[in-house]
Tab-separated table of all heavy atoms in Angstrom:
chain	number	residue	atom	x	y	z
P	18	LEU	N	55.648	76.333	-142.243
P	18	LEU	CA	56.223	75.334	-143.143
P	18	LEU	C	55.773	73.922	-142.771
P	18	LEU	O	55.511	73.102	-143.650
P	18	LEU	CB	57.751	75.406	-143.135
P	18	LEU	CG	58.384	76.358	-144.120
P	18	LEU	CD1	59.911	76.325	-143.994
P	18	LEU	CD2	57.976	76.079	-145.539
P	19	LEU	N	55.684	73.653	-141.483
P	19	LEU	CA	55.173	72.349	-141.050
P	19	LEU	C	53.731	72.168	-141.528
P	19	LEU	O	53.352	71.095	-142.013
P	19	LEU	CB	55.247	72.206	-139.527
P	19	LEU	CG	56.640	72.008	-138.949
P	19	LEU	CD1	56.617	72.184	-137.437
P	19	LEU	CD2	57.188	70.643	-139.322
P	20	GLY	N	52.924	73.218	-141.426
P	20	GLY	CA	51.543	73.162	-141.902
P	20	GLY	C	51.473	72.920	-143.402
P	20	GLY	O	50.609	72.172	-143.880
P	21	PHE	N	52.380	73.543	-144.158
P	21	PHE	CA	52.439	73.326	-145.601
P	21	PHE	C	52.741	71.856	-145.906
P	21	PHE	O	52.103	71.248	-146.768
P	21	PHE	CB	53.498	74.237	-146.228
P	21	PHE	CG	53.747	73.965	-147.680
P	21	PHE	CD1	52.810	74.331	-148.633
P	21	PHE	CD2	54.915	73.345	-148.095
P	21	PHE	CE1	53.025	74.073	-149.990
P	21	PHE	CE2	55.151	73.094	-149.434
P	21	PHE	CZ	54.204	73.454	-150.389
P	22	SER	N	53.683	71.272	-145.182
P	22	SER	CA	54.032	69.864	-145.392
P	22	SER	C	52.845	68.949	-145.096
P	22	SER	O	52.574	68.005	-145.839
P	22	SER	CB	55.226	69.465	-144.519
P	22	SER	OG	56.354	70.218	-144.869
P	23	VAL	N	52.136	69.233	-144.025
P	23	VAL	CA	50.950	68.451	-143.672
P	23	VAL	C	49.894	68.579	-144.774
P	23	VAL	O	49.286	67.587	-145.196
P	23	VAL	CB	50.380	68.887	-142.301
P	23	VAL	CG1	49.014	68.279	-142.053
P	23	VAL	CG2	51.349	68.519	-141.187
P	24	CYS	N	49.693	69.795	-145.262
P	24	CYS	CA	48.728	70.024	-146.337
P	24	CYS	C	49.100	69.212	-147.573
P	24	CYS	O	48.246	68.581	-148.203
P	24	CYS	CB	48.664	71.512	-146.669
P	24	CYS	SG	47.477	71.925	-147.967
P	25	MET	N	50.386	69.219	-147.928
P	25	MET	CA	50.828	68.464	-149.109
P	25	MET	C	50.540	66.977	-148.925
P	25	MET	O	50.033	66.323	-149.845
P	25	MET	CB	52.316	68.710	-149.363
P	25	MET	CG	52.658	70.117	-149.820
P	25	MET	SD	52.061	70.522	-151.482
P	25	MET	CE	53.261	69.641	-152.484
P	26	ARG	N	50.822	66.445	-147.743
P	26	ARG	CA	50.537	65.024	-147.488
P	26	ARG	C	49.033	64.759	-147.530
P	26	ARG	O	48.588	63.762	-148.100
P	26	ARG	CB	51.122	64.601	-146.140
P	26	ARG	CG	52.633	64.493	-146.160
P	26	ARG	CD	53.173	63.798	-144.921
P	26	ARG	NE	52.905	64.519	-143.692
P	26	ARG	CZ	53.719	65.429	-143.149
P	26	ARG	NH1	54.850	65.766	-143.753
P	26	ARG	NH2	53.405	66.000	-142.011
P	27	ASP	N	48.262	65.653	-146.932
P	27	ASP	CA	46.805	65.490	-146.909
P	27	ASP	C	46.211	65.531	-148.313
P	27	ASP	O	45.110	65.039	-148.541
P	27	ASP	CB	46.142	66.569	-146.053
P	27	ASP	CG	46.359	66.379	-144.565
P	27	ASP	OD1	46.837	65.296	-144.154
P	27	ASP	OD2	46.061	67.323	-143.814
P	28	ASN	N	46.954	66.139	-149.249
P	28	ASN	CA	46.473	66.255	-150.624
P	28	ASN	C	47.197	65.307	-151.579
P	28	ASN	O	47.217	65.531	-152.788
P	28	ASN	CB	46.588	67.707	-151.090
P	28	ASN	CG	45.474	68.545	-150.512
P	28	ASN	OD1	44.363	68.546	-151.026
P	28	ASN	ND2	45.746	69.236	-149.416
P	29	GLY	N	47.795	64.253	-151.037
P	29	GLY	CA	48.286	63.154	-151.861
P	29	GLY	C	49.746	63.164	-152.251
P	29	GLY	O	50.176	62.324	-153.040
P	30	PHE	N	50.552	64.089	-151.702
P	30	PHE	CA	51.974	64.081	-152.030
P	30	PHE	C	52.771	63.798	-150.765
P	30	PHE	O	52.640	64.502	-149.772
P	30	PHE	CB	52.430	65.412	-152.642
P	30	PHE	CG	53.853	65.376	-153.113
P	30	PHE	CD1	54.178	64.729	-154.287
P	30	PHE	CD2	54.858	65.961	-152.378
P	30	PHE	CE1	55.494	64.665	-154.727
P	30	PHE	CE2	56.176	65.912	-152.798
P	30	PHE	CZ	56.489	65.267	-153.973
P	31	ASP	N	53.605	62.769	-150.800
P	31	ASP	CA	54.368	62.336	-149.631
P	31	ASP	C	55.556	63.266	-149.403
P	31	ASP	O	56.653	63.015	-149.874
P	31	ASP	CB	54.841	60.902	-149.821
P	31	ASP	CG	55.502	60.340	-148.576
P	31	ASP	OD1	55.258	60.875	-147.473
P	31	ASP	OD2	56.266	59.370	-148.708
P	32	MET	N	55.313	64.354	-148.697
P	32	MET	CA	56.345	65.349	-148.408
P	32	MET	C	56.716	65.244	-146.937
P	32	MET	O	55.847	65.301	-146.068
P	32	MET	CB	55.830	66.757	-148.708
P	32	MET	CG	56.795	67.862	-148.301
P	32	MET	SD	56.151	69.502	-148.686
P	32	MET	CE	56.808	69.693	-150.329
P	33	PRO	N	58.017	65.091	-146.632
P	33	PRO	CA	58.415	65.046	-145.221
P	33	PRO	C	58.298	66.432	-144.591
P	33	PRO	O	58.201	67.442	-145.290
P	33	PRO	CB	59.878	64.606	-145.288
P	33	PRO	CG	60.354	65.121	-146.607
P	33	PRO	CD	59.163	65.013	-147.537
P	34	ASP	N	58.331	66.458	-143.278
P	34	ASP	CA	58.420	67.747	-142.585
P	34	ASP	C	59.749	68.391	-142.944
P	34	ASP	O	60.734	67.690	-143.224
P	34	ASP	CB	58.340	67.549	-141.068
P	34	ASP	CG	56.938	67.193	-140.604
P	34	ASP	OD1	55.973	67.472	-141.347
P	34	ASP	OD2	56.807	66.640	-139.501
P	35	PRO	N	59.810	69.717	-142.956
P	35	PRO	CA	61.076	70.379	-143.269
P	35	PRO	C	62.128	70.036	-142.219
P	35	PRO	O	61.813	69.844	-141.048
P	35	PRO	CB	60.727	71.866	-143.239
P	35	PRO	CG	59.486	71.966	-142.437
P	35	PRO	CD	58.759	70.674	-142.615
P	36	ASP	N	63.366	69.939	-142.660
P	36	ASP	CA	64.483	69.619	-141.775
P	36	ASP	C	65.295	70.891	-141.552
P	36	ASP	O	66.202	71.204	-142.320
P	36	ASP	CB	65.340	68.520	-142.407
P	36	ASP	CG	66.451	68.047	-141.495
P	36	ASP	OD1	66.708	68.697	-140.464
P	36	ASP	OD2	67.078	67.022	-141.820
P	37	PHE	N	64.938	71.630	-140.513
P	37	PHE	CA	65.576	72.910	-140.251
P	37	PHE	C	67.051	72.750	-139.885
P	37	PHE	O	67.864	73.598	-140.231
P	37	PHE	CB	64.829	73.680	-139.154
P	37	PHE	CG	63.426	74.023	-139.562
P	37	PHE	CD1	62.350	73.272	-139.105
P	37	PHE	CD2	63.179	75.062	-140.441
P	37	PHE	CE1	61.054	73.572	-139.508
P	37	PHE	CE2	61.890	75.369	-140.849
P	37	PHE	CZ	60.825	74.615	-140.376
P	38	ALA	N	67.418	71.656	-139.238
P	38	ALA	CA	68.823	71.410	-138.893
P	38	ALA	C	69.636	71.147	-140.162
P	38	ALA	O	70.793	71.556	-140.270
P	38	ALA	CB	68.938	70.238	-137.928
P	39	ASN	N	69.035	70.471	-141.129
P	39	ASN	CA	69.712	70.142	-142.373
P	39	ASN	C	69.994	71.388	-143.208
P	39	ASN	O	70.929	71.411	-144.008
P	39	ASN	CB	68.857	69.154	-143.168
P	39	ASN	CG	69.617	68.453	-144.256
P	39	ASN	OD1	70.778	68.113	-144.093
P	39	ASN	ND2	68.959	68.230	-145.369
P	40	LEU	N	69.217	72.430	-143.017
P	40	LEU	CA	69.374	73.653	-143.790
P	40	LEU	C	70.780	74.229	-143.643
P	40	LEU	O	71.374	74.691	-144.615
P	40	LEU	CB	68.334	74.686	-143.371
P	40	LEU	CG	68.378	76.013	-144.112
P	40	LEU	CD1	68.042	75.804	-145.587
P	40	LEU	CD2	67.403	76.992	-143.492
P	41	THR	N	71.339	74.153	-142.466
P	41	THR	CA	72.657	74.747	-142.242
P	41	THR	C	73.766	73.941	-142.908
P	41	THR	O	74.799	74.496	-143.253
P	41	THR	CB	72.963	74.891	-140.737
P	41	THR	OG1	72.874	73.617	-140.116
P	41	THR	CG2	72.009	75.861	-140.076
P	42	THR	N	73.574	72.649	-143.121
P	42	THR	CA	74.623	71.836	-143.731
P	42	THR	C	74.436	71.650	-145.234
P	42	THR	O	75.407	71.562	-145.967
P	42	THR	CB	74.711	70.450	-143.060
P	42	THR	OG1	73.452	69.800	-143.145
P	42	THR	CG2	75.137	70.573	-141.613
P	43	THR	N	73.187	71.597	-145.707
P	43	THR	CA	72.947	71.335	-147.132
P	43	THR	C	72.319	72.518	-147.864
P	43	THR	O	72.288	72.530	-149.082
P	43	THR	CB	72.018	70.127	-147.331
P	43	THR	OG1	70.718	70.456	-146.845
P	43	THR	CG2	72.548	68.887	-146.643
P	44	GLY	N	71.773	73.461	-147.115
P	44	GLY	CA	71.073	74.572	-147.739
P	44	GLY	C	69.671	74.208	-148.186
P	44	GLY	O	69.020	74.955	-148.896
P	45	ARG	N	69.169	73.048	-147.759
P	45	ARG	CA	67.840	72.595	-148.161
P	45	ARG	C	66.979	72.278	-146.944
P	45	ARG	O	67.439	71.672	-145.995
P	45	ARG	CB	67.923	71.322	-149.006
P	45	ARG	CG	68.618	71.512	-150.308
P	45	ARG	CD	68.542	70.210	-151.114
P	45	ARG	NE	68.982	70.422	-152.456
P	45	ARG	CZ	68.237	70.943	-153.421
P	45	ARG	NH1	67.004	71.298	-153.165
P	45	ARG	NH2	68.716	71.112	-154.625
């Protein structure tokens, strides 16, 4: 997933790294 985020940024979309800690509180 981190690699996917890097790929998205490298291809012009400002995507943050996934927030695995946030998943438990927000589901995202």
Side-chain angles (χ1 to χ4, degrees):
L18 272 180
L19 287 168
F21 173 73
S22 298
V23 169
C24 181
M25 291 291 284
R26 288 192 297 269
D27 287 348
N28 283 279
F30 186 76
D31 187 21
M32 174 180 270
D34 287 339
D36 185 349
F37 297 101
N39 197 38
L40 181 65
T41 57
T42 57
T43 67
R45 296 185 170 279

